Amino acid sequence: MSNETNNEVQAVKDELFSKRQHAAVRMDAGEMKSCDQFCAEYMDFMNTAKTEREAAAFFSRTLEENGYVSFKPGMALKAGDKVYLNNRGKSVILATIGTAPITEGVRLCAAHIDSPRLDMKQHPLYENEEIGYFKTHYYGGIKKYQWTAIPLSLHGIIVKQDGTKVEVRIGEDAGDPVFYITDLLPHLADEQMRRTLAQGIKGEELNIVIGSMPFKQEKGADMVKLGIMNLLHEKYDIIEDDFLSAELEAVPAFPAREVGFDRSLIGAYGHDDRVCSYPAFRAALDTAAPVHTSVIILTDKEETGSDGNTGLRSSYLKYFLCDLAECFGENGRHVMSASKCLSADVNAGFDPTFPEVLEKNNCAYVNHGVCVTKFTGARGKSGTSDASAEFVGEIRRILDAQNVIWQTGELGKVDVGGGGTVAAYIANLDIDTIDIGVPVLSMHAPYELVAKTDVWAAYRAFKAFLES
Ligand code: MN
Ligand code: MN
């Protein structure tokens, strides 16, 4: 072929074919700097809020500082007003009232603030051969073997007999002790190594070491347990029965860190889904005067199927939108039908070490922007809400107009697996909904990996949507 023909072929290709571009090609030095600054703030948040309760508290506190007031049904609202609702300390909804009538719908972003972890059982404390332990029941989908032999911190609350509440957070500050689940030494693990990976560590083997010194160095039954209980009594004024009304969660004690020689990635516990929650939250704070009312819902219980009164299968979002509509004398049903939602949850990033589970033309790549997913579900799209082509087109125009870096991707090859998000529960309220989120490597592991440019792209996507 002549050079001329070559150029012509290239020109037609450029015009007709989809392009895949690394974010570095699309972001200039100024934007890279903004991205770095944003991610530093994200990492601070990750170290502050490691559980759904801590995230809900952080969001509520930050909202108050930014002029948001507690939402009351029937209150008078006008454009620019800022309200929020804290649902039982575990979920937060915030709204910034827009200039358009509420019947034109709200711009909703939904993300979850719970992450896989180990919950304490109701009778957690016991002693075995002079070692003190907490018994756990894992929360969400984990590979159990990954949770042994790493430092763990303990977070949560204990409600005492008289109703007073004790807050617990141990293992995050320098100088704090941490907690630990043992694994077998390889020298003696011949039999264990023949178990399947799923059975390598079993649920009832996830026992957390919490101490080893007997009470007053005495001999007798359960003296280590008594020593620990005595310490807890001194520190928190609790007795063993108070564990019955407690929610204690063990999470990895690792802080968020930059990863790689070029510091382009972030390692942290619980990117899923705080890596969408935080950018959505920040986008709302930075959209002070929206046309359409902005609503951000930061929900609990996604990792266990969204059931329960702090999960999105419950009616609390619907009730909020109905109450909001009534503040303007309108019917909530009409507000919902006119609303649009980004269901913000992470997606699987392509992992070159395990290429076989993803289909290369239809999966998300790190540093290629926020991932828009038209449908989720598994085995013939079961459980999906499948956004319409029209709605995908609308989102596409919104993102492109603001030069947001985005891609599309499915979670896994057909019939390899899959997963659902809260999208279906919101779409079931007659709200146009589409999935969007940051690609993650090692999702649901104690330490997950994301690319900084993708976190930034998520923030820019939410902002473009809220401003639309
Ligand atoms: Mn998630
Ligand atoms: Mn998850």
Side-chain angles (χ1 to χ4, degrees):
M1 275 193 295
S2 68
N3 263 351
E4 205 175 308
T5 318
N6 266 341
N7 291 344
E8 197 187 322
V9 168
Q10 192 55 48
V12 177
K13 257 191 179 174
D14 286 348
E15 190 189 345
L16 298 185
F17 278 5
S18 298
K19 281 176 210 59
R20 268 195 60 212
Q21 274 184 326
H22 194 285
V25 179
R26 300 208 19 205
M27 290 166 65
D28 61 20
E31 190 176 4
M32 279 294 183
K33 208 173 158 201
S34 306
C35 164
D36 247 4
Q37 175 61 34
F38 184 84
C39 287
E41 289 161 24
Y42 169 60
M43 286 164 69
D44 283 346
F45 161 75
M46 292 300 273
N47 294 333
T48 305
K50 294 188 95 166
T51 65
E52 76 288 9
R53 281 182 190 274
E54 289 174 1
F58 169 88
F59 290 133
S60 298
R61 196 166 62 234
T62 311
L63 287 169
E64 297 262 357
E65 288 163 9
N66 283 274
Y68 284 76
V69 300
S70 191
F71 177 73
K72 301 273 182 294
M75 70 197 295
L77 290 173
K78 57 177 191 315
D81 282 353
K82 303 188 278 189
V83 294
Y84 81 100
L85 180 148
N86 181 320
N87 179 10
R88 299 169 169 86
K90 297 183 179 190
S91 314
V92 171
I93 307 179
L94 66 99
T96 311
I97 308 304
T99 49
I102 195 78
T103 43
E104 286 186 19
V106 304
R107 295 286 181 271
L108 179 64
C109 295
H112 67 92
I113 54 178
D114 62 320
S115 298
R117 60 179 193 247
L118 306 175
D119 284 349
M120 299 315 114
K121 293 190 184 187
Q122 294 325 104
H123 281 296
L125 178 62
Y126 72 103
E127 169 180 346
N128 195 348
E129 298 296 338
E130 301 177 329
I131 297 179
Y133 291 98
F134 272 158
K135 263 281 171 203
T136 67
H137 193 140
Y138 64 99
Y139 174 101
I142 62 167
K143 288 168 126 176
K144 299 179 200 77
Y145 71 88
Q146 293 180 331
W147 292 70
T148 65
I150 58 169
L152 298 170
S153 58
L154 199 64
H155 300 243
I157 62 150
I158 302 167
V159 177
K160 296 196 283 187
Q161 176 80 51
D162 64 4
T164 55
K165 203 187 272 191
V166 178
E167 283 187 30
V168 177
R169 183 180 162 99
I170 307 175
E172 297 297 341
D173 296 330
D176 272 6
V178 293
F179 306 93
Y180 189 85
I181 297 170
T182 56
D183 195 357
L184 209 44
L185 60 168
H187 318 63
L188 299 178
D190 261 9
E191 204 167 303
Q192 184 201 26
M193 298 291 254
R194 280 194 288 272
R195 296 183 188 175
T196 62
L197 205 53
Q199 289 284 313
I201 292 289
K202 299 173 186 174
E204 290 293 353
E205 292 170 343
L206 291 171
N207 303 320
I208 302 180
V209 174
I210 55 168
S212 62
M213 290 302 283
F215 181 68
K216 294 184 187 293
Q217 320 301 326
E218 296 284 319
K219 282 197 173 354
D222 279 341
M223 282 298 130
V224 170
K225 175 179 169 179
L226 186 59
I228 292 164
M229 200 59 241
N230 187 57
L231 279 175
L232 294 174
H233 181 68
E234 282 172 4
K235 187 170 166 63
Y236 299 116
D237 190 31
I238 58 163
I239 59 172
E240 190 178 6
D241 269 349
D242 291 330
F243 287 124
L244 295 174
S245 45
E247 286 181 337
L248 293 172
E249 307 172 1
V251 303
F254 311 124
R257 300 283 294 268
E258 292 177 311
V259 173
F261 288 114
D262 56 12
R263 300 171 183 269
S264 59
L265 304 151
I266 303 171
Y269 160 68
H271 282 309
D272 177 9
D273 187 30
R274 287 176 292 156
V275 76
C276 296
S277 307
Y278 183 77
F281 176 77
R282 283 287 305 270
L285 289 192
D286 295 346
T287 309
V291 175
H292 294 96
T293 295
S294 309
V295 176
I296 312 293
I297 180 159
L298 305 152
T299 194
D300 180 32
K301 291 289 178 283
E302 194 280 339
E303 295 294 356
T304 52
S306 296
D307 284 309
N309 59 12
T310 55
L312 267 184
R313 269 175 141 148
S314 90
S315 298
Y316 81 98
L317 172 63
K318 184 170 78 182
Y319 291 163
F320 177 80
L321 293 173
C322 288
D323 287 345
L324 191 65
E326 279 174 23
C327 291
F328 297 91
E330 301 291 349
N331 188 324
R333 188 161 68 82
H334 299 138
V335 174
M336 285 187 273
S337 300
S339 292
K340 300 173 197 300
C341 172
L342 295 183
S343 165
D345 205 345
V346 297
N347 209 313
F350 181 76
D351 185 340
T353 306
F354 302 102
E356 59 279 359
V357 296
L358 293 166
E359 192 257 293
K360 284 192 162 185
N361 286 333
N362 289 283
C363 67
Y365 293 83
V366 293
N367 282 311
H368 284 255
V370 67
C371 178
V372 176
T373 300
K374 184 177 182 294
F375 54 85
T376 57
R379 294 170 306 281
K381 297 189 176 181
S382 182
T384 186
S385 74
D386 209 343
S388 69
E390 290 87 343
F391 189 51
V392 181
E394 200 177 325
I395 295 302
R396 187 180 156 198
R397 283 192 295 279
I398 290 170
L399 299 181
D400 286 343
Q402 297 296 322
N403 197 27
V404 174
I405 302 174
W406 66 281
Q407 58 185 325
T408 63
E410 280 182 48
L411 199 147
K413 280 183 178 168
V414 176
D415 289 344
V416 165
T421 65
V422 299
Y425 314 127
I426 296 171
N428 288 347
L429 297 174
D430 194 27
I431 296 175
D432 271 322
T433 305
I434 190 165
D435 279 294
I436 187 169
V438 173
V440 176
L441 300 180
S442 302
M443 193 198 295
H444 282 209
Y447 212 56
E448 303 173 316
L449 213 54
V450 298
K452 285 182 181 175
T453 59
D454 297 331
V455 182
W456 173 246
Y459 164 76
R460 295 210 58 240
F462 300 132
K463 193 145 189 301
F465 175 69
L466 296 178
E467 285 171 354
S468 71

